[in-house]
Amino acid sequence: MTENIETQKERATNWFTQLRDEICAAFEACEDDVTGPNGSSELAAGRFERSEWDRPEGGGGVMSVMRGRVFEKVGVNVSAVHGEFSEQFRAQIPGAEEDPRFWASGISLVAHPRSPKVPIAHMNTRMIVTTKGWFGGGGDLTPVFPIDADTTDFHGAFKSACDAFDPGYYDKFKKWCDEYFYLPHRGEARGVGGIFYDNLESGDWEKDFDFTQTVGSAFRDIYPEIIRRHMDEKWDEADRQAQLIKRGRYVEFNLIHDRGTKFGLMTGGNTEAILMSLPPLAAWP
Amino acid sequence: MTENIETQKERATNWFTQLRDEICAAFEACEDDVTGPNGSSELAAGRFERSEWDRPEGGGGVMSVMRGRVFEKVGVNVSAVHGEFSEQFRAQIPGAEEDPRFWASGISLVAHPRSPKVPIAHMNTRMIVTTKGWFGGGGDLTPVFPIDADTTDFHGAFKSACDAFDPGYYDKFKKWCDEYFYLPHRGEARGVGGIFYDNLESGDWEKDFDFTQTVGSAFRDIYPEIIRRHMDEKWDEADRQAQLIKRGRYVEFNLIHDRGTKFGLMTGGNTEAILMSLPPLAAWP
């Protein structure tokens, strides 16, 4: 918390919006460039459609959704909201017990590719302000058919981002991700991981903001690269069925375990924006 | 609680098993008799497949699953389990605070028809014993395209069952069902309702058991009748898409709100049996 907190809020919100624009442009470029079985003439290159929503208690957001030929459904949401935490949440939120008011801004993305050969991905970064202030976020990859090189490069991108700031970040945030994106009732991980961090408040806001930007940029660069490696590959109905089952697990995680989803639904968030993470089609055969 | 509690447990378990057999036979008869667009020669009449599972802490169950031409996926589970409630659950369960041991037996059914014109249905009845003992259960109907006559007859069957025991049951249990099967984040009901009751302990075990049997029999008779009204009707891709979206809402209810699902997953129940309620295919377009 500093004297220029309002400037910080504005800078963070502007960054999340800029990152949204950069990621959407990179995804639309994939839609243009695909030449494989899913880029054939029956489907047109997709484009994001935006819709704004207001939160009655204060603030709002913009949903950007694309239903294309590489991305069967991808949502990129930005929002900046403020209000007061209800009684039941105050004890769980740092700094909210003294004063329930909060401000939060962030970007949240889930991509469900059409091709079973292209991994599902999630990325989210946010800045939260109560009587305390912190950053959180991360990204994780959920391939239907894991490929070592993709896993290595996805983690490598986040490791580089982390190592530029603190030699301990990557191991800590990778472990956090592995623990968080785990389905205990299935005894399996959601995917091949990535990084996850929360309550990041090193005491140096500029450093923490810079780190959060670096994490977002790392995702913006590596995920489209992984998409391009596989988007022209052939796949068959058995691959598709495996993908629909993997997506079912994704639904299970998001609805049973994901704190952001639960939190959003229980605090009267925008249902359409929160559940944009759910896949266009999923199977429990 | 009486001296012959062991006999009561056995009688209840035998009834749940008999009801399972009767319902499975009624559903397989639908598979044989369908002549409409979904009963055409490319799909064979389905038959239930059974698999047993043991609960490491005590007891077990039998899953009966059918993937046929009327029923895209239907699961009918019976189980009789016993053990001790964990610390976190004791306060929530009548009679468990004094002594954490429990015994539970029941039947649970969710049917996902292939045709969007045939309603989804759920039915569950159970007997629970802690230091107290009670029955619970109910059934509800989730049509993609509600038809007044179906809703009237489904409710009528349960009303007749209720009225034979207590003039106040139907109104109370219908309201309980409406309140329970509601998705607050969507602001919509799961379907057209039915009845739901829990902690039924009138002081007359025979009467409560008789009521629970009558509820089960009412469902066994009315749901196949409603299926037969619609199973030969034509439907198109738009109907199918509406069905997949309705099924998505069903997933949301079961994973976010359903107490049985949450309770089962958190107490280390059989994941496959608990999540058999999830539809074979669902959409969030």
Coordinates of all heavy atoms in Angstrom, one line a residue, chain A residues 67 73 184-186 241 244 248-249 251-253 255-256 261 265 271-272 275 278-285, chain B residues 67 73 184-186 241 244 248-249 251-253 255-256 261 265 271-272 275 278-285:
Chain A
R67 N -15.4 -18.4 -31.0 CA -15.7 -19.8 -31.4 C -15.3 -20.0 -32.8 O -15.9 -19.5 -33.7 CB -17.2 -20.1 -31.2 CG -17.7 -20.0 -29.8 CD -19.2 -20.1 -29.7 NE -19.7 -20.0 -28.3 CZ -20.0 -18.9 -27.7 NH1 -19.9 -17.7 -28.3 NH2 -20.3 -18.9 -26.4
K73 N -13.9 -23.1 -28.4 CA -14.4 -22.0 -27.5 C -13.2 -21.5 -26.6 O -12.6 -22.3 -25.9 CB -15.5 -22.6 -26.6 CG -16.1 -21.6 -25.6 CD -17.1 -22.3 -24.7 CE -17.6 -21.6 -23.5 NZ -18.4 -22.4 -22.6
P184 N -8.8 -34.9 -6.2 CA -8.6 -36.0 -5.2 C -9.6 -37.1 -5.5 O -9.2 -38.3 -5.3 CB -8.9 -35.3 -3.9 CG -9.6 -34.0 -4.2 CD -9.1 -33.6 -5.5
H185 N -10.8 -36.8 -5.9 CA -11.7 -37.9 -6.1 C -11.4 -38.8 -7.3 O -11.9 -39.9 -7.5 CB -13.2 -37.4 -6.2 CG -13.4 -36.5 -7.4 ND1 -13.0 -35.2 -7.5 CD2 -13.9 -36.8 -8.7 CE1 -13.3 -34.7 -8.7 NE2 -13.9 -35.7 -9.4
R186 N -10.5 -38.3 -8.2 CA -10.1 -39.1 -9.3 C -8.6 -39.6 -9.1 O -8.1 -40.4 -9.9 CB -10.1 -38.2 -10.6 CG -11.4 -37.8 -11.1 CD -12.2 -38.9 -11.7 NE -13.5 -38.5 -12.3 CZ -14.4 -39.3 -12.8 NH1 -14.2 -40.6 -12.8 NH2 -15.5 -38.8 -13.3
Q241 N -13.0 -38.4 -28.6 CA -13.7 -39.0 -27.4 C -12.8 -38.8 -26.2 O -13.3 -38.4 -25.1 CB -14.0 -40.5 -27.7 CG -14.8 -41.1 -26.6 CD -16.2 -40.5 -26.3 OE1 -16.7 -39.7 -27.2 NE2 -16.9 -40.8 -25.2
L244 N -13.1 -35.3 -25.1 CA -14.4 -35.0 -24.4 C -14.3 -35.5 -22.9 O -14.9 -34.8 -22.0 CB -15.5 -35.6 -25.2 CG -15.8 -35.0 -26.6 CD1 -17.0 -35.7 -27.2 CD2 -16.0 -33.5 -26.5
G248 N -14.4 -33.4 -19.4 CA -15.3 -33.7 -18.3 C -14.6 -33.5 -17.0 O -15.1 -33.0 -16.0
R249 N -13.4 -34.0 -16.9 CA -12.5 -33.8 -15.7 C -12.3 -32.3 -15.4 O -12.3 -31.9 -14.3 CB -11.2 -34.5 -15.9 CG -11.2 -36.0 -16.1 CD -11.7 -36.7 -14.9 NE -11.2 -38.1 -14.9 CZ -11.9 -39.1 -15.4 NH1 -13.1 -38.9 -15.9 NH2 -11.4 -40.3 -15.4
V251 N -14.4 -29.9 -16.2 CA -15.6 -29.5 -15.5 C -15.7 -29.8 -14.1 O -16.0 -29.0 -13.2 CB -16.8 -30.1 -16.3 CG1 -18.1 -29.7 -15.5 CG2 -16.9 -29.6 -17.7
E252 N -15.3 -31.1 -13.8 CA -15.3 -31.5 -12.4 C -14.4 -30.6 -11.5 O -14.8 -30.2 -10.5 CB -14.9 -33.0 -12.3 CG -15.9 -34.0 -12.8 CD -15.3 -35.4 -12.8 OE1 -14.4 -35.8 -12.0 OE2 -15.8 -36.2 -13.7
F253 N -13.2 -30.4 -12.0 CA -12.3 -29.5 -11.2 C -12.9 -28.1 -11.0 O -13.0 -27.6 -9.9 CB -10.9 -29.4 -11.9 CG -10.0 -28.5 -11.0 CD1 -9.4 -29.1 -10.0 CD2 -10.0 -27.1 -11.2 CE1 -8.6 -28.3 -9.1 CE2 -9.2 -26.3 -10.4 CZ -8.5 -26.9 -9.3
L255 N -16.0 -27.0 -11.2 CA -17.2 -26.8 -10.4 C -17.1 -27.4 -9.0 O -17.7 -26.9 -8.0 CB -18.4 -27.5 -11.1 CG -18.8 -27.0 -12.5 CD1 -20.0 -27.7 -13.0 CD2 -19.0 -25.5 -12.4
I256 N -16.2 -28.4 -8.7 CA -16.1 -28.9 -7.4 C -15.0 -28.2 -6.6 O -15.2 -27.9 -5.4 CB -15.8 -30.4 -7.4 CG1 -16.9 -31.2 -8.1 CG2 -15.6 -31.0 -6.0 CD1 -16.6 -32.7 -8.3
T261 N -14.1 -20.1 -9.1 CA -15.4 -20.3 -9.6 C -16.4 -20.3 -8.4 O -17.4 -19.6 -8.5 CB -15.5 -21.7 -10.2 OG1 -14.5 -21.7 -11.3 CG2 -16.9 -22.0 -10.8
L265 N -19.3 -17.5 -7.9 CA -20.7 -17.8 -7.9 C -21.4 -17.4 -6.5 O -22.5 -17.0 -6.5 CB -20.9 -19.3 -8.2 CG -20.5 -19.8 -9.6 CD1 -20.8 -21.3 -9.7 CD2 -21.3 -19.0 -10.6
T271 N -22.4 -14.9 -13.8 CA -22.4 -16.3 -14.0 C -21.8 -16.7 -15.4 O -21.0 -17.6 -15.5 CB -23.8 -16.9 -13.9 OG1 -24.2 -16.7 -12.5 CG2 -23.9 -18.4 -14.2
E272 N -22.2 -16.0 -16.4 CA -21.7 -16.3 -17.8 C -20.2 -16.1 -17.9 O -19.5 -16.9 -18.5 CB -22.4 -15.4 -18.8 CG -23.9 -15.7 -19.1 CD -24.0 -17.1 -19.7 OE1 -23.1 -17.6 -20.4 OE2 -25.1 -17.8 -19.5
L275 N -18.5 -19.0 -15.7 CA -18.6 -20.3 -16.3 C -18.2 -20.4 -17.8 O -18.4 -21.4 -18.4 CB -20.0 -20.9 -16.1 CG -20.5 -21.0 -14.6 CD1 -21.9 -21.7 -14.6 CD2 -19.5 -21.9 -13.9
L278 N -16.1 -23.4 -18.8 CA -16.6 -24.7 -19.1 C -16.5 -25.0 -20.6 O -16.7 -24.1 -21.4 CB -18.0 -24.9 -18.6 CG -18.1 -24.7 -17.1 CD1 -19.6 -24.8 -16.6 CD2 -17.3 -25.6 -16.3
P279 N -16.2 -26.3 -20.9 CA -15.9 -26.6 -22.3 C -17.2 -26.6 -23.2 O -18.3 -26.8 -22.6 CB -15.4 -28.0 -22.2 CG -15.9 -28.6 -21.0 CD -16.0 -27.4 -20.0
P280 N -17.1 -26.4 -24.5 CA -18.3 -26.4 -25.3 C -19.0 -27.7 -25.3 O -20.2 -27.7 -25.5 CB -17.7 -26.0 -26.7 CG -16.3 -26.4 -26.6 CD -15.9 -26.2 -25.2
L281 N -18.3 -28.8 -25.2 CA -18.9 -30.1 -25.2 C -18.0 -31.0 -24.3 O -16.7 -30.9 -24.3 CB -18.9 -30.7 -26.6 CG -19.9 -31.8 -26.9 CD1 -21.3 -31.4 -26.8 CD2 -19.6 -32.3 -28.4
A282 N -18.6 -31.8 -23.4 CA -17.8 -32.7 -22.5 C -18.6 -34.0 -22.4 O -19.8 -34.1 -22.5 CB -17.6 -32.0 -21.2
A283 N -17.8 -35.1 -22.1 CA -18.5 -36.4 -22.0 C -18.1 -37.1 -20.7 O -17.0 -37.0 -20.2 CB -18.0 -37.3 -23.2
W284 N -19.2 -37.8 -20.2 CA -19.0 -38.8 -19.1 C -19.6 -40.1 -19.6 O -20.8 -40.4 -19.3 CB -19.7 -38.3 -17.8 CG -19.0 -37.2 -17.2 CD1 -18.1 -37.2 -16.2 CD2 -19.3 -35.8 -17.4 NE1 -17.7 -35.9 -15.8 CE2 -18.4 -35.0 -16.6 CE3 -20.1 -35.0 -18.3 CZ2 -18.4 -33.6 -16.5 CZ3 -20.0 -33.7 -18.3 CH2 -19.2 -33.0 -17.4
P285 N -18.9 -40.8 -20.5 CA -19.6 -41.9 -21.2 C -20.0 -43.1 -20.3 O -19.5 -43.2 -19.2 CB -18.5 -42.3 -22.2 CG -17.2 -42.0 -21.6 CD -17.5 -40.7 -20.8
Chain B
R67 N -26.3 -48.5 -21.5 CA -26.2 -47.5 -22.6 C -26.9 -48.1 -23.7 O -26.4 -49.1 -24.4 CB -24.7 -47.4 -22.9 CG -23.9 -46.7 -21.7 CD -22.4 -46.6 -21.9 NE -21.7 -46.0 -20.8 CZ -21.3 -46.7 -19.7 NH1 -21.5 -48.0 -19.6 NH2 -20.7 -46.0 -18.8
K73 N -27.6 -43.1 -21.3 CA -26.9 -43.6 -20.2 C -27.8 -43.5 -19.0 O -28.4 -42.5 -18.7 CB -25.7 -42.7 -19.9 CG -24.8 -43.1 -18.7 CD -23.7 -42.0 -18.5 CE -23.0 -42.1 -17.2 NZ -22.1 -40.9 -17.1
P184 N -29.1 -21.4 -7.9 CA -29.2 -19.9 -7.6 C -28.4 -19.1 -8.6 O -28.8 -18.0 -9.0 CB -28.6 -19.8 -6.2 CG -28.0 -21.2 -5.9 CD -28.6 -22.2 -6.8
H185 N -27.2 -19.7 -9.1 CA -26.4 -18.9 -10.0 C -27.0 -18.7 -11.4 O -26.6 -17.9 -12.1 CB -25.0 -19.5 -10.1 CG -24.9 -20.8 -10.7 ND1 -25.3 -22.0 -10.0 CD2 -24.6 -21.3 -11.9 CE1 -25.1 -23.0 -10.8 NE2 -24.8 -22.6 -11.9
R186 N -28.0 -19.6 -11.7 CA -28.7 -19.5 -12.9 C -30.1 -18.8 -12.7 O -30.8 -18.5 -13.7 CB -28.9 -20.8 -13.6 CG -27.6 -21.5 -14.0 CD -27.0 -20.9 -15.2 NE -25.9 -21.7 -15.7 CZ -25.1 -21.3 -16.8 NH1 -25.4 -20.1 -17.4 NH2 -24.1 -22.0 -17.2
Q241 N -29.3 -30.1 -29.3 CA -28.5 -29.0 -28.7 C -29.1 -28.5 -27.4 O -28.4 -28.2 -26.4 CB -28.3 -27.9 -29.7 CG -27.3 -26.8 -29.3 CD -25.9 -27.3 -29.0 OE1 -25.5 -28.4 -29.4 NE2 -25.1 -26.4 -28.4
L244 N -28.4 -30.9 -24.7 CA -27.0 -30.9 -24.2 C -26.8 -29.7 -23.3 O -26.1 -29.8 -22.3 CB -26.0 -30.9 -25.4 CG -26.1 -32.1 -26.3 CD1 -25.0 -31.9 -27.5 CD2 -25.8 -33.4 -25.6
G248 N -26.0 -29.7 -19.3 CA -24.9 -28.9 -18.7 C -25.4 -28.3 -17.3 O -24.6 -28.3 -16.3
R249 N -26.6 -27.8 -17.3 CA -27.2 -27.3 -16.1 C -27.3 -28.5 -15.0 O -27.1 -28.2 -13.8 CB -28.6 -26.8 -16.3 CG -28.6 -25.6 -17.3 CD -28.0 -24.4 -16.7 NE -28.6 -23.2 -17.3 CZ -28.0 -22.6 -18.4 NH1 -27.0 -23.1 -19.0 NH2 -28.6 -21.5 -18.9
V251 N -25.3 -31.0 -14.8 CA -23.9 -31.1 -14.3 C -23.6 -30.1 -13.2 O -23.1 -30.3 -12.1 CB -22.8 -31.1 -15.4 CG1 -21.4 -31.0 -14.8 CG2 -23.0 -32.2 -16.4
E252 N -23.9 -28.8 -13.5 CA -23.7 -27.7 -12.6 C -24.4 -28.0 -11.3 O -23.8 -27.9 -10.2 CB -24.2 -26.4 -13.2 CG -23.4 -25.9 -14.3 CD -24.0 -24.6 -15.0 OE1 -24.7 -23.9 -14.3 OE2 -23.7 -24.4 -16.2
F253 N -25.6 -28.4 -11.3 CA -26.3 -28.7 -10.0 C -25.6 -29.8 -9.3 O -25.3 -29.7 -8.1 CB -27.8 -29.1 -10.3 CG -28.5 -29.3 -8.9 CD1 -29.0 -28.3 -8.2 CD2 -28.5 -30.6 -8.4 CE1 -29.5 -28.5 -6.9 CE2 -29.0 -30.8 -7.1 CZ -29.6 -29.8 -6.4
L255 N -22.6 -31.0 -9.4 CA -21.2 -30.8 -8.9 C -21.1 -29.6 -7.9 O -20.3 -29.6 -7.0 CB -20.2 -30.6 -10.0 CG -20.1 -31.9 -11.0 CD1 -19.0 -31.6 -12.0 CD2 -19.8 -33.1 -10.2
I256 N -22.0 -28.6 -8.1 CA -21.9 -27.5 -7.2 C -22.7 -27.6 -6.0 O -22.3 -27.3 -4.9 CB -22.3 -26.2 -7.9 CG1 -21.4 -25.9 -9.1 CG2 -22.2 -25.0 -7.0 CD1 -21.8 -24.7 -10.0
T261 N -23.7 -35.8 -3.7 CA -22.5 -35.9 -4.5 C -21.3 -35.4 -3.7 O -20.3 -36.1 -3.5 CB -22.6 -35.1 -5.8 OG1 -23.8 -35.6 -6.5 CG2 -21.4 -35.1 -6.6
L265 N -18.2 -37.7 -2.3 CA -16.8 -37.5 -2.8 C -16.0 -37.1 -1.6 O -14.8 -37.6 -1.5 CB -16.8 -36.3 -3.8 CG -17.4 -36.6 -5.2 CD1 -17.3 -35.4 -6.1 CD2 -16.8 -37.9 -5.8
T271 N -16.1 -43.1 -6.5 CA -16.3 -42.0 -7.5 C -17.1 -42.3 -8.7 O -18.0 -41.6 -9.1 CB -14.9 -41.5 -7.9 OG1 -14.2 -41.0 -6.8 CG2 -15.0 -40.4 -8.9
E272 N -16.9 -43.5 -9.3 CA -17.6 -43.9 -10.5 C -19.1 -44.0 -10.2 O -19.9 -43.6 -11.0 CB -17.1 -45.2 -11.0 CG -15.7 -45.2 -11.7 CD -15.7 -44.3 -13.0 OE1 -16.8 -44.2 -13.6 OE2 -14.7 -43.7 -13.2
L275 N -20.5 -40.4 -9.5 CA -20.6 -39.5 -10.7 C -21.3 -40.2 -11.9 O -21.3 -39.7 -13.0 CB -19.2 -39.0 -11.1 CG -18.5 -38.2 -10.0 CD1 -17.2 -37.6 -10.6 CD2 -19.4 -37.0 -9.6
L278 N -23.7 -38.1 -13.9 CA -23.4 -37.1 -15.0 C -23.7 -37.6 -16.3 O -23.6 -38.8 -16.6 CB -21.9 -36.8 -14.9 CG -21.4 -36.2 -13.5 CD1 -19.9 -35.9 -13.5 CD2 -22.2 -34.9 -13.2
P279 N -24.2 -36.7 -17.2 CA -24.7 -37.1 -18.5 C -23.6 -37.6 -19.5 O -22.4 -37.2 -19.3 CB -25.3 -35.8 -19.1 CG -24.6 -34.7 -18.4 CD -24.2 -35.2 -17.0
P280 N -23.9 -38.4 -20.4 CA -22.9 -39.0 -21.3 C -22.3 -37.9 -22.2 O -21.1 -38.0 -22.6 CB -23.7 -39.9 -22.2 CG -25.1 -39.5 -22.1 CD -25.3 -39.0 -20.7
L281 N -23.0 -36.8 -22.4 CA -22.5 -35.7 -23.2 C -23.3 -34.4 -22.8 O -24.5 -34.5 -22.5 CB -22.8 -36.0 -24.7 CG -22.0 -35.2 -25.8 CD1 -20.5 -35.6 -25.7 CD2 -22.5 -35.5 -27.2
A282 N -22.6 -33.3 -22.6 CA -23.2 -32.1 -22.2 C -22.5 -30.9 -22.8 O -21.3 -31.0 -23.2 CB -23.1 -31.9 -20.7
A283 N -23.2 -29.8 -23.0 CA -22.6 -28.7 -23.7 C -22.8 -27.4 -22.9 O -23.7 -27.1 -22.3 CB -23.3 -28.5 -25.1
W284 N -21.7 -26.6 -23.1 CA -21.7 -25.2 -22.7 C -21.3 -24.4 -23.9 O -20.1 -24.0 -23.9 CB -20.8 -25.0 -21.5 CG -21.2 -25.6 -20.2 CD1 -22.0 -25.0 -19.2 CD2 -21.0 -26.9 -19.7 NE1 -22.2 -25.9 -18.2 CE2 -21.6 -27.0 -18.5 CE3 -20.3 -28.0 -20.2 CZ2 -21.6 -28.2 -17.7 CZ3 -20.3 -29.2 -19.5 CH2 -20.9 -29.3 -18.3
P285 N -22.1 -24.2 -24.8 CA -21.7 -23.6 -26.1 C -21.2 -22.2 -26.0 O -21.5 -21.5 -25.1 CB -22.9 -23.7 -27.0 CG -24.1 -23.7 -26.1 CD -23.6 -24.4 -24.8

